[in-house]
Structures are given as structure tokens and as C-alpha cells.
Amino acid sequence: MNHIGKIERLLRLPDAIAKPETDRHMRIALFLTSLDGGGGERAHVMLANALAASGHEVELIVANRAGPCEALISPAVRVTDLGAGRAMRSLPKLVRALRASRPDILVSALVAANVLAALAGRFVPWLPMIAIEHGDMNAVYHVDKKRIAGLLAYRLAPWVYGRFARIFCVDQSSLLSVAAFTRRQDLPLSVMPNVVIGDNIDQLAAEEVDHPWMGGKLPVFLSVGRMVEQKNHSLLLRAFARVLEQRPARLIILGDGPLREELEQECRALGLQDHVDMPGFRNPFPFLAAASALVLSSRWEALPTVVIEAQYVGCPVVVTKASMGTLELVGFGRYGRITEQDSPKALANEMAAVLDAEIDRQKLRSQGGKYTGNAVARLYEREFEAVIDEASREGAR
């Protein structure tokens, strides 16, 4: 097969509808270093919930249980908290946990957890493993390398990723970034979508919005995400200041993070303190259902789950060109407005334009509905069966 054909095969999304559901009951372990409020952590929890809803025995192993995503875990998922504090100290406890529960397969997500899972694999060689990558490894590396643990994980990744039977990437750009970062042509890379839409999203979206600005006369823009360099909230604030020069509006930023104080200072410097609110982490779905538009101002992304969530509840979206996955989600302009990543003026123009545009909310809901738990769980089940059978044949030799 030529190189172009191989790339096309890798980038092709599997077809969930054409494949039957599995009847095999599996013991599935999923591993995360934490339950922080990031999209990768949330997607892994949602996958665990979807697999448990399909009737499998699901264990979610975490190095440290504390975090906003803990509230999302289904009662049907058994949680094992390694209580390791720092993730890199969790390796011995992870090995003991896997030996105790003896799952049929282990699924880890994000670089630090993937590296730890691969290292643990040396001590549980009977256990087949799958890794999931949620973003641009090159971009995230330049942030995570500032911490010794992050630097170590990324340095080890090219050496240990060969342990995995599959490495799933959530979109085309993240797949290419893993191949480029690791510089390995032998890795079993393929594209697999996230579980984003859970069974309870309609119920969550119907909850009363706990904010006085929602439901008022003024349009309200919404941003959802951690206050970190990646999300580029500074660009959003500068763009919003330009919007206010044209019309009255308000902006709510849901989330928290290390840049909160810096963003609050920028708000005051721009004179936005009466027009912007940062209430921290909240249930985002009633906000999305009531907002005039979601704005994603990120420098980089993989497959941003908040865009899918917004579409599912019919909320218009404005996005930067943060990744190929982002552009695919908005249909390259059919299901959302697109702007540059470094221009407050361009972002402000799109924010103003979305308020005047006619929105087909049913089309948005159909686009978001492609990422329901049941549809994606069926894809994973089929892959799990194949990996478990391959490991069984290898063990019989």
C-alpha cells in the first residue's frame, strides 16, 4: 500500500451504524491520572459511563480522584482511587490494582496516563492495552514540558508507545501529531471519536440556569474551558471589548485555572468588569441551551467537546482555526462561524455576525448527535473484542 493510501486508511472514521453490537461481556479498566475539568478527562469518564450502560463491568482507575469530572461518573462505574498524589508515583499502585482486578483490557488516555500504563504493562504482560490521545502532542508538549513530570512523560512516550495494541486519536490532526512527535512509523494509530453526549444531557440542559444574565434582553456569549494558555481567553476578552463598541452584550466564562487572576486584571484594564462574569465551574448545559452563542478562542484543540455539546443543544458557535477537528465539527463553516486565532478584530466581527444570523438549530442538533455514548461505545466494543482475541492468540503460541 502506498503512503497516501495508508494515511487515508488511518484517517477514515469507523462506521458505527453498519456494525452490530457485541454480545460479549467484558471487564474493562480505564485509567486517568486525575479527574480535572479538561475535555480529555471528561471524554474518558463519558466512555466509562457508556461502556457500563452497555452491560460491561467497568472500573475507572485514577491516580488522584479529586476533580470536577468526579461528579460525572455513573454509579455503574467502579472507581479505584490510587491516592498517589503526584501521578508519576502511582506506577506501583497501578500495577497492584491491575493484578487485583485482572481486567480483560486497559484503556488509558492522555500522555502521562498512557506512559504510566505502558510502563505498568511490563509487570502485567498478559494484559492488552489501548491508548487514547486527545490533542496535538507537539503543542501540548511545549506547555507540559515546563513541569518535570510532564517533560519526563513526553520524553518516554516514543519509547513506550509500542506497548499498545491500538492508539486511538480523536481526529485527523491529533493522529498526525502523534506520528510526528514520536517519529515512529510502526505505531497502530487510527481515528476514533469521543463519547461526548451522555444519556443525561437532555435532563442537564433542562435545569434552571443559575445566573441572572441568562434569559434577559441582552445577548450573552459563553465560553467554557479551563483558564490556561491553550484556551486564549485574552483574545476573547479583547474581541468582546470590540463587540461592546458596536452593541450591548455580556460574556460569561465558565471554568477556572491558573490564569484566572491575570484574566481578571485584563478585564479591569479593558473596562469589562460590569460586562464579564467568571463564576467558575458550573453545569454548562443549561448555559449552552440559553446562550446566544458559544465562543471557542483556543490556540489549539483536538476535538473540542464543548463545540459538540453546544451543537447538541442547538447553541450557535464561533470557533478559531484551532485544529482540523474543530473545523470538521463546524462543517468548515456550515455549522458554525470560523475566525483566525490571533485577531481580536476578526473574532469580534464573527461574534457580532452570529447574533444577526439565521440559525438552523435542528441541523446543529443533528451534528452534535453523532457523538452519543451508545454509538461510540459500539465502536470501542468491536475494537476491544479484536484486541482481546489477538492477545489470546499471542498467549497461546
Side-chain angles (χ1 to χ4, degrees):
M1 179 180 295
N2 61 36
H3 292 303
I4 294 177
K6 183 176 181 180
I7 291 174
E8 289 177 344
R9 177 176 60 81
L10 290 173
L11 298 184
R12 190 179 301 122
L13 276 173
D15 184 356
I17 298 175
K19 303 297 181 180
E21 297 185 50
T22 180
D23 293 325
R24 180 188 293 185
H25 175 82
M26 291 177 277
R27 297 190 314 276
I28 304 166
L30 298 96
F31 177 54
L32 282 170
T33 57
S34 76
L35 292 172
D36 286 344
E41 290 86 355
R42 186 184 185 282
H44 215 50
V45 169
M46 296 293 286
L47 176 59
N49 293 348
L51 292 168
S54 295
H56 302 289
E57 184 180 335
V58 178
E59 177 186 19
L60 179 62
I61 305 173
V62 291
N64 189 340
R65 182 168 182 163
C69 285
E70 181 179 7
L72 303 176
I73 301 172
S74 165
V77 174
R78 178 164 58 92
V79 180
T80 298
D81 182 4
L82 301 180
R86 294 188 179 182
M88 297 308 289
R89 296 177 181 174
S90 66
L91 181 57
K93 293 184 177 182
L94 175 60
V95 172
R96 287 196 291 271
L98 294 172
R99 285 175 173 172
S101 59
R102 295 192 67 84
D104 297 318
I105 194 165
L106 175 67
V107 189
S108 57
L110 304 172
V111 174
N114 291 339
V115 168
L116 286 167
L119 294 174
R122 297 178 61 88
F123 303 96
V124 285
W126 45 268
L127 179 61
M129 296 183 173
I130 287 175
I132 303 176
E133 284 296 343
H134 285 274
D136 185 328
M137 286 190 77
N138 290 287
V140 180
Y141 166 70
H142 289 294
V143 176
D144 285 355
K145 71 178 182 181
K146 297 173 184 177
R147 299 178 295 107
I148 294 177
L151 177 62
L152 179 60
Y154 277 85
R155 291 287 177 87
L156 288 174
W159 298 96
V160 302
Y161 269 33
R163 174 66 178 80
F164 295 109
R166 303 281 194 279
I167 300 175
F168 294 140
C169 305
V170 296
D171 72 339
Q172 301 174 5
S173 58
S174 60
L175 183 149
L176 295 175
S177 79
V178 174
F181 185 87
T182 60
R183 297 183 181 180
R184 293 188 58 169
Q185 300 180 6
D186 61 329
L187 295 179
L189 298 168
S190 58
V191 172
M192 184 72 81
N194 275 341
V195 176
V196 177
I197 306 304
D199 294 338
N200 62 342
I201 190 171
D202 293 320
Q203 178 182 350
L204 291 172
E207 290 182 4
E208 185 176 352
V209 187
D210 184 21
H211 200 285
W213 288 357
M214 289 300 190
K217 295 181 179 180
L218 295 183
V220 179
F221 293 102
L222 183 68
S223 173
V224 182
R226 292 171 296 167
M227 296 176 180
V228 293
E229 179 184 354
Q230 174 193 357
K231 301 302 180 180
N232 202 5
H233 288 108
S234 176
L235 170 67
L236 175 58
L237 292 177
R238 287 177 285 142
F240 181 63
R242 289 174 173 267
V243 171
L244 289 182
E245 294 174 0
Q246 305 173 39
R247 64 203 304 168
R250 284 168 168 164
L251 169 64
I252 297 175
I253 301 176
L254 297 184
D256 212 332
L259 297 184
R260 168 179 279 276
E261 185 175 347
E262 182 178 318
L263 293 172
E264 289 173 344
Q265 291 176 354
E266 186 167 9
C267 252
R268 291 190 290 270
L270 292 168
L272 301 177
Q273 60 269 26
D274 295 331
H275 309 278
V276 176
D277 191 29
M278 305 179 191
F281 285 107
R282 299 281 186 88
N283 170 13
F285 299 109
F287 283 85
L288 288 167
S292 303
L294 171 79
V295 185
L296 185 81
S297 55
S298 300
R299 291 185 170 92
W300 71 85
E301 289 285 352
L303 197 73
T305 57
V306 69
V307 172
I308 299 170
E309 293 163 346
Q311 291 173 332
Y312 184 81
V313 299
C315 178
V317 296
V318 179
V319 303
T320 57
K321 298 176 180 178
S323 70
M324 184 60 69
T326 305
L327 299 180
E328 289 173 351
L329 287 180
V330 298
F332 297 93
R334 294 192 302 276
Y335 309 112
R337 307 191 73 89
I338 303 168
T339 185
E340 301 299 326
Q341 294 166 277
D342 56 0
S343 173
K345 180 180 179 181
L347 178 55
N349 289 341
E350 296 301 332
M351 291 170 67
V354 77
L355 298 180
D356 298 321
E358 292 186 10
I359 306 297
D360 188 335
R361 298 182 188 275
Q362 188 54 49
K363 281 188 177 181
L364 292 179
R365 294 187 182 99
S366 297
Q367 179 73 353
K370 297 176 182 178
Y371 296 86
T372 61
N374 181 58
V376 177
R378 285 193 292 164
L379 298 175
Y380 272 92
E381 287 169 342
R382 189 174 75 249
E383 292 295 335
F384 291 168
E385 283 192 337
V387 169
I388 292 169
D389 290 342
E390 291 166 9
S392 179
R393 289 193 295 268
E394 287 291 329
R397 292 180 183 177

